[in-house]
Amino acid sequence: MHHSGQIFLGEANKSYPSAEGICNLYMTNSTLTTVRDGDKYPYVYIANGTYVFKDCTAKGVTYDYAFNVQYGAEVIIDNSAFSGFRYRIGGEAANGWTRPSVLTLKSGSLKTDKVFLGTVSSKTSAVLHQEGGLLTVNDLQACVGAQPVWLHLEGGELTAQYVRGMDKTKAKNPSGDGFARLTANGGRIKCGKAVASPLIVGWDLAEVGEKGLVLDSDGNACTVNQGFVNLEGESGRILKTGGGALTLMVPTDYTVSETCVDNGSLVVSAETADASVTLVTALTVTNGAALSTVGNAKDLTVGSLDINSASLKLDPGDSITVTGGAAFKGLALEFSTVPALNEAKDILTVCGSVSADSIKAFTSAVINNVFPAGTYGKLTARTPVVSLTNEFAVMRAKSAAALPT
C-alpha cells in the first residue's frame, strides 16, 4: 500500500506486529509493507514522511529498537494505545539529511520499557514531543552523538524510573555536536518506582516555561540531579507534589522563577558534605509539606521563602539565607538531632522584607523534637537584618509542666 504525504491507520487498518510474531511492518518513504520474517521478533520501521496513528491499538514485543522512527520521519500518536515495543527515535539517515526524526504523543497512551533518543553515531536529530496522554517508560535515555536530541513536554504525564539526558559513564561522540535538551512547558514527570539512581539527570539544558513542570514523587523516594533554568522569555514554574521525598541536587544553575512544594518533602542536598547550595527561585512550601536540608547541604540560599502550614527540617548547624523577602504562617521546625546544649546559632537570615506577623510565627513555631529532661528549645529574632536564632538552654527554675507551648 503506497501513500504520499500523510498516512492514517485507523479502525480498518490494524495490521500491526502481534506478540506472536506474525509479521514485520516496514514504513519507508511513505510506503507500507507487511512482511513475514520467520521466527524473528516483529518490529516497525518508519522512515521519511508523516504518519498518524489515530484511534488505534498497537501491540508488539519488547525487543531492541522494535519501533524505529528514522530518516526524518514524524510519527503522531493520537487517541491510540501503544504497548510492548521498544522505541528508537533518530539515528539513521542519508548523507546531508537535515530533517529531525520526531515521535509525538498527542493523546492516548504509550507504554514501553525503553525509549532511546538518538544514538552515539546519530545522523539525524531526535525529538520526543508529548502534548498529552500517558507515557509510561522504565528508562528514557538520550544517546547523544553527532546530532542534538530533545525531550519536549507540553502536557500529559510521563511516568518513569529514569529520564536520562546522557549516561555519564559513556563518552559523547568526540567528533559530534550532540546536545541533550529538556523543555517543559506543561506536563508532569512522575517517579514510577523508588530506585537508587536519579530520576532526572544529565541534560545539557533543562528549561521550564510559564505553564510549568510538575515533579511527582508519588509516594516514592527519588532524586533529581539536574539544574533548571527559565525557558527564554518566560518565568518558569516547578511544582513538587506527591507523597515521599524528592531530593534535589543541582550540579548546574537552578534559576527557575518559582518553585512550590505542596506535598511530601523537598530535600535540598549536594554531592559533598557541608556544601553550600543556591536556588535562585521564589520558594513556597505549603499544605503540610516540608523543606529539608538534612544531609549534605549545610548552607542554603534562596531568592524568597514562603512557608505556610508546612515544616522546615534541618541538621544542627544548618542555615538558610533569603536574599529577598520571607513569610511564615503555621510553621513547624524539626532538627535531625537535638542541637548542643547552651548553643545559639543563626538558622535563618532574611535580607529583604518580613512582617511582624511572620517573625511572631517563626518565634512561636512548634519544634518537633523531644528534648532531654531539664532542657528546652527557644526561637528568638533580632533586627535590623532579621536573623532568627535557635537557643537551646538548660531549664533552671522551670518545671517541665511550665514549659511554653
Side-chain angles (χ1 to χ4, degrees):
M1 183 170 62
H2 300 271
H3 289 267
S4 60
Q6 291 187 336
I7 294 180
F8 294 87
L9 299 177
E11 191 66 28
N13 293 285
K14 291 188 175 180
S15 300
Y16 301 111
S18 71
E20 290 77 20
I22 295 174
C23 66
N24 287 336
L25 189 152
Y26 300 87
M27 293 182 181
T28 306
N29 296 322
S30 300
T31 299
L32 174 65
T33 307
T34 58
V35 178
R36 188 181 299 273
D37 195 14
D39 295 330
K40 293 183 178 180
Y41 287 103
Y43 62 90
V44 180
Y45 190 97
I46 302 178
N48 189 14
T50 300
Y51 303 82
V52 179
F53 293 82
K54 184 174 178 63
D55 303 324
C56 296
T57 299
K59 295 181 179 180
V61 294
T62 300
Y63 190 64
D64 284 346
Y65 314 135
F67 196 107
N68 291 265
V69 183
Q70 305 289 314
Y71 283 87
E74 181 180 12
V75 174
I76 299 172
I77 299 175
D78 186 5
N79 196 37
S80 297
F82 274 57
S83 62
F85 297 105
R86 181 176 291 182
Y87 294 79
R88 185 179 73 173
I89 306 168
E92 297 181 10
N95 291 332
W97 196 275
T98 58
R99 178 177 174 176
S101 300
V102 183
L103 175 63
T104 297
L105 177 61
K106 293 179 69 69
S107 61
S109 62
L110 190 158
K111 186 176 182 179
T112 180
D113 69 330
K114 289 190 178 182
V115 174
F116 295 95
L117 278 172
T119 66
V120 173
S121 59
S122 288
K123 297 178 181 178
T124 61
S125 56
V127 179
L128 176 57
H129 184 198
Q130 185 173 9
E131 297 179 0
L134 175 61
L135 172 57
T136 304
V137 56
N138 290 335
D139 186 5
L140 192 157
Q141 172 71 67
C143 302
V144 178
Q147 298 293 333
V149 299
W150 187 18
L151 174 59
H152 188 189
L153 305 178
E154 290 190 298
E157 180 179 297
L158 167 58
T159 298
Q161 293 182 35
Y162 310 103
V163 181
R164 298 188 286 180
M166 178 61 191
D167 186 346
K168 297 303 182 183
T169 64
K170 299 178 182 178
K172 292 183 180 181
N173 185 338
S175 62
D177 297 320
F179 188 84
R181 177 185 181 189
L182 167 61
T183 301
N185 202 3
R188 173 187 300 253
I189 297 178
K190 178 188 286 188
C191 178
K193 182 180 179 181
V195 293
S197 298
L199 169 65
I200 304 174
V201 67
W203 296 89
D204 294 305
L205 172 66
E207 53 189 0
V208 182
E210 292 177 351
K211 294 181 180 179
L213 169 64
V214 177
L215 298 176
D216 186 351
S217 48
D218 195 32
N220 298 301
C222 59
T223 299
V224 172
N225 191 351
Q226 180 70 53
F228 292 90
V229 300
N230 290 326
L231 184 63
E232 186 175 358
E234 299 193 19
S235 297
R237 301 178 65 249
I238 288 181
L239 170 64
K240 188 281 174 195
T241 191
L246 187 151
T247 298
L248 177 64
M249 302 177 68
V250 285
T252 56
D253 291 342
Y254 188 103
T255 57
V256 174
S257 295
E258 300 177 28
T259 303
C260 179
V261 187
D262 78 350
N263 199 349
S265 299
L266 177 66
V267 181
V268 180
S269 189
E271 294 183 352
T272 58
D274 296 333
S276 297
V277 179
T278 298
L279 306 179
V280 185
T281 189
L283 180 57
T284 299
V285 189
T286 186
N287 196 35
L291 170 65
S292 172
T293 59
V294 174
N296 283 347
K298 185 174 180 62
D299 299 309
L300 171 63
T301 299
V302 297
S304 66
L305 182 62
D306 185 346
I307 300 180
N308 188 336
S309 300
S311 61
L312 183 61
K313 299 181 179 181
L314 308 169
D315 287 322
D318 285 358
S319 66
I320 297 176
T321 298
V322 185
T323 59
F328 307 104
K329 183 179 180 180
L331 172 68
L333 194 66
E334 182 177 331
F335 292 89
S336 58
T337 59
V338 175
L341 196 64
N342 293 323
E343 181 177 287
K345 187 181 187 308
D346 292 347
I347 59 174
L348 180 65
T349 299
V350 182
C351 301
S353 62
V354 58
S355 69
D357 287 343
S358 289
I359 294 175
K360 182 178 179 181
F362 197 99
T363 56
S364 61
V366 174
I367 302 177
N368 291 325
N369 288 92
V370 177
F371 297 98
T375 67
Y376 67 98
K378 182 181 178 183
L379 296 167
T380 61
R382 65 176 186 269
T383 55
V385 176
V386 176
S387 182
L388 301 172
T389 304
N390 65 307
E391 295 179 348
F392 293 84
V394 176
M395 183 180 67
R396 300 187 184 280
K398 297 181 181 180
S399 66
L403 288 177
T405 58

